[in-house]
């Protein structure tokens, strides 16, 4: 015969009822069971025992993931999100909106998409539009070619892990045109999920060893936090070299040598990362500087990573983008056939600003044939990059050319974006340098200003009391009082005793002026308060 529920079952049911805020019930029978307070306490205690401890806790999680930080989307951005929610609820603030000047997200800041790029991606996404007279023939021609490279002629199919072959061919042709005829092999091209995916993959395959033999990765300070985050995640050793703020954030090979020699005492420096044009610092490296860096990498047997995602974003007169690949080739076969170089590009920056498509590529030179197979294997774990992002990348490297019907509109839109950015770079530099207690180096390229800020000792003490870095304290106050969200320099790295913040130049010019005026008013009040 079956038995009714035992005392343990009844107690657990009681505990569940209590947790749900219901009056506990006994077995299904006439009348009501009344529970004493002692019985309730006993039931709750038994329920607590029945709930086993979590497997994943802060103590048991991967320590490398816990250690990594990504300042661009760090605490200050979380705070900005909280403030936005409060504004939507009608809570009064000294401002009506949060302006997220913390990240280089062009379209979120109001930049219009490039028509031709969107036309081709739309045609690839919905091929029925290929019969529409609303789309130009040069866009249809590119869309058909991309679709022919896709399984089932569909953007929804997986591609080869290295990317669609015809797009890699277009990337190689683009590099040859950009570099004045320097040959490029499609087999050395890997399409990626934005540039970040390629950088992470190369670092992953480079890091090895333990103790003093652990791989050291040399990165610029200030740096883009992707690098420190990836290094932390891989449990590699971060080796800082400092850019020269007094010389417009120039890279000095003597500083590279200092950092390398010091690092040899505790790791095996194997990788040298360069960001050109610079993020967050906006400098554009000279040809002589690039030659010196390549010679240094050749001499010290370092694998070079060249982050060149801002290659279209050069504004200052006298500045010009030189790819590391081109200079390496022109330095002669001793260098070109031996220095291992991975260079990166993306759809997210430049004049395109297509961050959400997550399109990108890397070109890897002088990779050992066996390592090439290992890299493809590593990339195959994530199957393939987003195929719509691959299509977007194709239009970046294969845009309309003179004689095609879309060329005039394309070149007009491209030049408009780049001219506006150049004007806003100069506007930002000029307005920041008029603020007492701020200094901004020339914005030669990229999409950001990284001004140095004077923070009074009284404010530094208050920041310490709040367990904050002084520039985090400053940026948090700026956010709370003006609604402007910028990233503190401590998130990028900076010399001891100096303070900065990074601000994007992407907002429309009129809005940018208002934003910078608010920064000025805030900074003056901040100095007065803490003087």
């Amino acid at each position: 015969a079956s038995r009714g529920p035992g005392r343990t079952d009844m107690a657990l049911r009681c505990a569940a009822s209590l947790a749900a805020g219901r009056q506990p019930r006994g077995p299904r029978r006439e009348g009501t069971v009344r529970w004493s307070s002692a019985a309730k306490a006993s039931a709750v205690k038994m329920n607590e025992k029945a709930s086993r401890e979590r497997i994943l806790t802060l103590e048991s999680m991967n320590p490398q993931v816990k250690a990594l930080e990504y300042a661009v989307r760090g605490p200050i951005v979380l705070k900005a999100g909280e403030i936005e929610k409060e504004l939507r609820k009608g809570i009064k603030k000294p401002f009506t909106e949060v302006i997220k000047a913390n990240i280089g997200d062009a379209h979120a800041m109001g930049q219009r998409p490039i028509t031709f790029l969107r036309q081709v991606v739309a045609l690839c996404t919905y091929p029925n539009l290929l019969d529409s007279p609303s789309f130009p023939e040069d866009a249809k021609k590119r869309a058909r070619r991309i679709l022919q490279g896709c399984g089932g002629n569909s953007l929804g199919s997986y591609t080869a892990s290295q990317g669609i072959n015809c797009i890699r061919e277009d990337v190689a042709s683009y590099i040859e045109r950009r570099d004045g005829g320097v040959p490029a092999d499609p087999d050395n091209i890997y399409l990626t999920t934005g540039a970040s995916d390629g950088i992470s993959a190369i670092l992953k395959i480079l890091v090895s060893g333990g103790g003093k033999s652990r791989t050291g990765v040399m990165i610029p300070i200030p740096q883009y936090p992707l690098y420190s985050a990836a290094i932390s995640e891989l449990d590699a050793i971060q080796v800082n070299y400092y850019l020269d703020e007094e010389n417009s954030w120039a890279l000095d090979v003597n500083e590279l040598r200092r950092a390398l020699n010091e690092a040899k005492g505790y790791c095996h420096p194997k990788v040298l990362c360069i960001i050109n044009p610079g993020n967050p610092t906006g400098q554009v490296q000279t040809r002589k500087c690039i030659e010196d860096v390549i010679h240094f990498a050749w001499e010290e047997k370092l694998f070079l990573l060249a982050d060149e995602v801002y290659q279209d974003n050069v504004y200052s007169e006298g500045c010009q983008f030189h790819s590391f690949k081109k200079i390496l080739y022109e330095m002669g076969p001793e260098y070109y056939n031996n220095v291992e170089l991975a260079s990166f590009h993306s759809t997210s920056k430049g004049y395109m600003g297509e961050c959400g498509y997550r399109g990108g590529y890397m070109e890897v030179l002088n990779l050992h044939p066996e390592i090439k197979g290992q890299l493809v294997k590593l990339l195959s774990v994530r199957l393939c990059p987003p195929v719509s992002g691959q299509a977007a990348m194709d239009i970046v490297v294969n845009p309309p050319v003179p004689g095609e019907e879309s060329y005039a509109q394309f070149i007009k839109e491209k030049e408009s974006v780049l001219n506006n950015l150049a004007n806003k770079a100069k506007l930002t530099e000029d307005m920041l340098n008029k603020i007492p207690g701020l200094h901004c180096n020339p914005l030669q390229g990229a999409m950001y200003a990284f001004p140095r800020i004077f923070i009074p000792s009284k404010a530094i003490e208050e920041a310490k009391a709040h367990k904050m870095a002084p520039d985090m304290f400053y940026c948090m106050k700026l956010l709370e009082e003006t609604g402007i969200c910028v990233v503190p320099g401590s998130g990028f790295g900076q010399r001891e005793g100096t303070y900065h913040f990074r601000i994007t130049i992407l907002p429309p010019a009129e809005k940018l002026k208002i934003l910078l005026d608010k920064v000025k008013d805030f900074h003056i009040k901040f100095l007065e308060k803490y003087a």
Side-chain angles (χ1 to χ4, degrees), residues 38 48 75 156 181 190 250 296 326 352 359 371 437 495 517 520:
E48 287 173 352
Y190 303 79
F296 177 80
K326 180 176 187 285
M352 308 80 66
I371 294 298
R495 283 197 180 273
D517 278 333
K520 176 183 178 181

Side-chain angles (χ1 to χ4, degrees), residues 117 120 243 318 365 457 468 497:
L117 187 150
V120 176
L243 301 176
L365 300 179
S457 56
M468 286 185 185

Side-chain angles (χ1 to χ4, degrees), residues 67 96 133 145 232-233 237 250 282 301 307 319 353 356 453 477:
T96 57
R145 183 165 179 267
S232 177
E233 184 180 357
I237 307 299
K301 296 182 173 63
D307 182 339
C319 289
I453 48 177
K477 290 287 185 185

Side-chain angles (χ1 to χ4, degrees), residues 295-478:
H295 177 74
F296 177 80
W298 173 80
E299 188 177 48
E300 299 292 346
K301 296 182 173 63
L302 296 170
F303 195 113
L304 265 176
L305 304 189
D307 182 339
E308 298 175 336
V309 301
Y310 296 99
Q311 59 189 258
D312 288 306
N313 302 108
V314 177
Y315 314 125
S316 292
E317 286 187 22
C319 289
Q320 182 182 349
F321 170 75
H322 302 281
S323 78
F324 267 73
K325 195 263 186 85
K326 180 176 187 285
I327 304 303
L328 177 64
Y329 184 83
E330 292 174 351
M331 288 175 71
E334 189 174 9
Y335 293 94
Y336 185 68
N337 294 329
N338 291 291
V339 173
E340 291 155 278
L341 168 69
S343 51
F344 308 90
H345 196 18
S346 166
T347 62
S348 301
K349 309 305 176 185
Y351 58 89
M352 308 80 66
E354 293 282 8
C355 304
Y357 277 122
R358 309 307 302 131
Y361 75 75
M362 61 180 174
E363 181 185 27
V364 190
L365 300 179
N366 295 319
L367 205 60
H368 191 287
E370 291 177 358
I371 294 298
K372 186 176 284 191
Q374 294 295 318
L375 178 58
V376 172
K377 178 183 75 174
L378 175 64
L379 294 174
S380 71
V381 173
R382 52 90 160 120
L383 296 176
C384 67
V387 187
S388 56
Q390 294 186 50
M393 191 74 245
D394 188 65
I395 306 313
V396 175
V397 299
N398 184 26
V401 296
E404 290 188 305
E405 61 182 300
S406 298
Y407 177 75
Q409 182 181 8
F410 167 78
I411 207 70
K412 180 182 177 182
E413 292 176 351
K414 175 183 176 179
E415 289 180 352
S416 174
V417 170
L418 293 176
N419 289 338
N420 281 336
L421 286 171
N423 292 335
K424 289 188 287 187
K426 190 71 174 74
L427 169 72
T428 303
E429 177 191 336
D430 290 345
M431 290 188 70
L432 287 174
N433 280 327
K434 288 176 182 175
I435 303 174
L438 253 75
H439 174 71
C440 183
N441 273 325
L443 276 63
Q444 297 174 344
M447 296 178 169
Y448 317 97
F450 196 67
R452 183 169 175 174
I453 48 177
F454 171 71
I455 299 181
S457 56
K458 188 178 174 184
I460 293 172
E461 291 302 316
E462 188 167 331
K464 287 178 181 175
H466 286 86
K467 296 182 179 179
M468 286 185 185
D471 50 8
M472 172 63 87
F473 176 75
Y474 177 95
C475 293
M476 198 64 81
K477 290 287 185 185
L478 175 66

